[in-house]
Amino acid sequence: MNRPIRVMSLVCLALFVSLLLAVNYIQFVDAETLNAKNGNRRVIDEEFSRERGPILVGDRPIAESVPVDDQWQFQRRYPDGKLYADITGYFSYTYGRSALEQSQNSILSGSDSRLFVNRVVDLIGSNQPRGGSVSLTVNRKAQRAAAEGLADLPGDAKGAAVAIDPSTGAVLAMTGTPTYNPNVLASHDLSAVSDAWERLNANDNQPMLNRSTQQSLPPGSTFKIVTAAAAMEKLGLKPDSTVKGGSSLSAPGFGSYELVNQGGGNCGGNKITLTQALEVSCNVTFGDLAMQVGQAGMQEQADAFGFSRRPIDQVPSNPSQFTQDPDVELEPPQLAQSGIGQFEVSATPLQMAMATGAIANGGALMQPYLVSTVRSPDLKTIETAEPEKIRDAISGGTAASLSQMMVDVVDNGTGAPAAISGVEVGGKTGTAQSTPDRPPYAWFVSFAPADDPKVAVAVVVESSSTGRDDISGGRLAGPIAKSIIEAVIGR
């Protein structure tokens, strides 16, 4: 064989081997990734033509596929669509999937490798493959209490509420307002779906945004639980330690700036206890404590509670932050403002529920999760969620002291609207300033019962028709948190 023919043979052999490797890589290595990719039309056509598994709360579906007489044979349907939209997301022929419909797609569609045997049995029996089911941790009564509380706010309100089990991280409720109906995006009338998509995305109020996990806002005075924890962990303060009170805070580097209290009060004196400072939500105290702890210490404590990382991966989420750039040193006034949850501090409701839950749970920060059990189409359990501790955010001693201080806030301070007769409730209010031309954000974080916590809650009211002077975390968000707690503990 002469040299040109040998070269051509080698080139052909190399091309053949490359083609073989590429085919095998796509078929066996990258198949799952390609199948999971949003917008894969072949996969979507195939998925639309099979019975997709249900998403369940208790034994009732909040997303299910029902038979229809058209080319796709099954229609995705969302009973109580608006109530659970932030959790289920949508399953659309044109616009793909979101939230649990996306993160749990392999099980719901039946393409998960753990359903291989089911697919083989279906193939042998000439049956259409079916998807598995996903059961959630959500408490139906708590979810409804959260949604109704937000709906009862005056005007076209915007806000969110989320509740978790402090000891496990299981999400008990997650909803926001305004929201949307995922049925309009799952319709087989593709023209109507397109119109609905454009209408929803043109809405300035962003109804498809999960405000519990994606929207990060200044947490205001609810962040004082983080500052208090940092002061107790790093400065050795106790609930009865004497701290700075008074009507204003100034310090070297402040220039003409003074940090003042809400309403201009003096917090009960120039020297008060740490417990009293939390009860009356004293800005002067917590601004001063943040400066004593220092930027690095405050950043470390915030991160210990879960800031700077995505809190959950089963639905879209964004990290909360102490500062925009930890490498940039804050000016003294900026650090003082950060200690009261202002300046660049921003947090999602889920993040604040996690921090509250860690305090209630003896300091242990738990990983939030929505899916409790995954089952095959023949109802065999494939996976059961195991609670996962992320870390000890604070010591058990600090957690116990801070829990009691939060109970005192509800019993004697600004958290009174969340009080429940016969139940010890811990809480903290927050009223966060944003810009001069928009109303403050009203926050409330809470847990109960204090001696055996079953639920930790965070509620934020982003806006409502409430007059600016009447906006406060206790007044607007407190009653919603109370309703959620009552739903969970059966009061």
Side-chain angles (χ1 to χ4, degrees):
M1 185 181 296
N2 59 36
R3 187 172 183 281
I5 292 178
R6 286 201 303 274
V7 170
M8 285 297 297
S9 298
L10 290 173
V11 169
C12 288
L13 179 61
L15 291 173
F16 178 77
V17 170
S18 298
L19 182 62
L20 191 64
L21 289 173
V23 168
N24 278 275
Y25 181 83
I26 292 172
Q27 290 288 331
F28 297 103
V29 178
D30 208 28
E32 194 165 329
T33 302
L34 292 173
N35 284 338
K37 190 174 182 180
N38 251 336
N40 188 328
R41 194 59 59 198
R42 183 189 62 78
V43 172
I44 291 175
D45 274 331
E46 186 178 319
E47 289 179 358
F48 259 68
S49 302
R50 75 173 60 158
E51 185 175 359
R52 190 173 175 84
I55 300 174
L56 302 164
V57 171
D59 58 356
R60 293 164 62 180
I62 60 172
E64 61 182 347
S65 292
V66 296
V68 292
D69 187 20
D70 66 16
Q71 68 183 100
W72 288 299
Q73 302 180 52
F74 290 97
Q75 169 69 62
R76 196 62 166 166
R77 191 172 73 95
Y78 300 90
D80 293 323
K82 286 187 174 181
L83 181 61
Y84 295 101
D86 283 347
I87 297 172
T88 62
Y90 56 79
F91 180 56
S92 168
Y93 182 85
T94 309
Y95 300 106
R97 308 170 288 261
S98 70
L100 288 182
E101 289 281 27
Q102 168 65 14
S103 67
Q104 305 302 308
N105 181 62
S106 64
I107 285 292
L108 296 171
S109 67
S111 63
D112 193 280
S113 58
R114 292 170 292 181
L115 299 179
F116 176 75
V117 174
N118 297 77
R119 290 200 298 274
V120 171
V121 171
D122 288 335
L123 183 63
I124 294 173
S126 299
N127 297 320
Q128 280 283 346
R130 293 178 297 153
S133 64
V134 173
S135 295
L136 305 188
T137 58
V138 173
N139 179 309
R140 184 178 292 276
K141 291 182 179 178
Q143 180 76 4
R144 194 165 290 282
E148 290 177 352
L150 292 169
D152 288 343
L153 291 168
D156 296 325
K158 291 190 283 185
V162 61
I164 63 172
D165 182 332
S167 64
T168 65
V171 175
L172 304 175
M174 178 184 288
T175 190
T177 187
T179 185
Y180 70 105
N181 186 347
N183 287 297
V184 301
L185 299 179
S187 169
H188 292 183
D189 181 344
L190 301 186
S191 177
V193 169
S194 178
D195 291 343
W197 178 265
E198 291 183 10
R199 188 170 61 254
L200 288 168
N201 280 281
N203 189 329
D204 291 338
N205 291 325
Q206 298 179 284
M208 290 197 292
L209 179 73
N210 185 332
R211 287 180 153 77
S212 299
T213 61
Q214 291 181 283
Q215 178 147 276
S216 197
L217 298 172
S221 293
T222 56
F223 189 76
K224 289 171 182 170
I225 62 174
V226 178
T227 305
M232 298 172 80
E233 289 282 295
K234 301 180 187 307
L235 304 178
L237 296 190
K238 304 296 181 187
D240 59 354
S241 295
T242 301
V243 295
K244 181 177 177 57
S247 58
S248 65
L249 175 68
S250 60
F254 272 41
S256 60
Y257 172 77
E258 287 188 336
L259 180 66
V260 299
N261 298 309
Q262 183 89 9
N266 73 349
C267 303
N270 291 330
K271 294 291 182 182
I272 57 178
T273 66
L274 183 58
T275 294
Q276 185 181 354
L278 197 67
E279 285 178 2
V280 300
S281 198
C282 187
N283 288 346
V284 170
T285 301
F286 291 96
D288 182 61
L289 290 177
M291 294 179 65
Q292 291 186 49
V293 172
Q295 180 178 345
M298 289 296 300
Q299 180 75 61
E300 184 179 43
Q301 187 60 70
D303 289 351
F305 277 119
F307 281 63
S308 307
R309 65 186 287 275
R310 287 185 62 207
I312 189 170
D313 58 8
Q314 294 173 338
V315 293
S317 66
N318 291 318
S320 301
Q321 67 175 31
F322 178 65
T323 65
Q324 288 183 359
D325 185 351
D327 294 330
V328 174
E329 184 176 355
L330 298 176
E331 299 292 333
Q334 296 168 344
L335 180 55
Q337 291 177 359
S338 301
I340 62 170
Q342 296 279 179
F343 191 56
E344 293 176 347
V345 180
S346 68
T348 63
L350 178 58
Q351 172 58 70
M352 294 311 298
M354 290 170 63
T356 304
I359 293 167
N361 191 38
L365 181 72
M366 304 302 293
Q367 175 62 50
Y369 63 97
L370 275 158
V371 176
S372 61
T373 310
V374 172
R375 293 186 177 87
S376 65
D378 53 2
L379 302 181
K380 291 180 180 175
T381 300
I382 297 175
E383 182 180 341
T384 301
E386 294 290 339
E388 176 188 351
K389 185 171 82 170
I390 299 173
R391 69 178 68 85
D392 287 321
I394 50 178
S395 69
T398 296
S401 297
L402 194 46
S403 292
Q404 183 56 52
M405 290 164 62
M406 292 177 70
V407 171
D408 292 338
V409 169
V410 174
D411 288 347
N412 310 313
T414 56
I420 300 173
S421 178
V423 179
E424 278 198 323
V425 178
K428 182 69 192 80
T429 57
T431 307
Q433 305 297 325
S434 51
T435 58
D437 58 345
R438 75 165 316 285
Y441 305 116
W443 284 82
F444 195 84
V445 297
S446 188
F447 65 88
D451 59 347
D452 184 20
K454 301 296 185 189
V455 57
V457 181
V459 178
V460 61
V461 178
E462 183 182 339
S463 66
S464 69
S465 62
T466 308
R468 190 182 188 96
D469 293 339
D470 293 327
I471 294 175
S472 71
R475 190 174 302 155
L476 287 181
I480 300 173
K482 177 183 177 181
S483 297
I484 297 170
I485 291 172
E486 289 176 328
V488 173
I489 65 176
R491 296 299 293 260

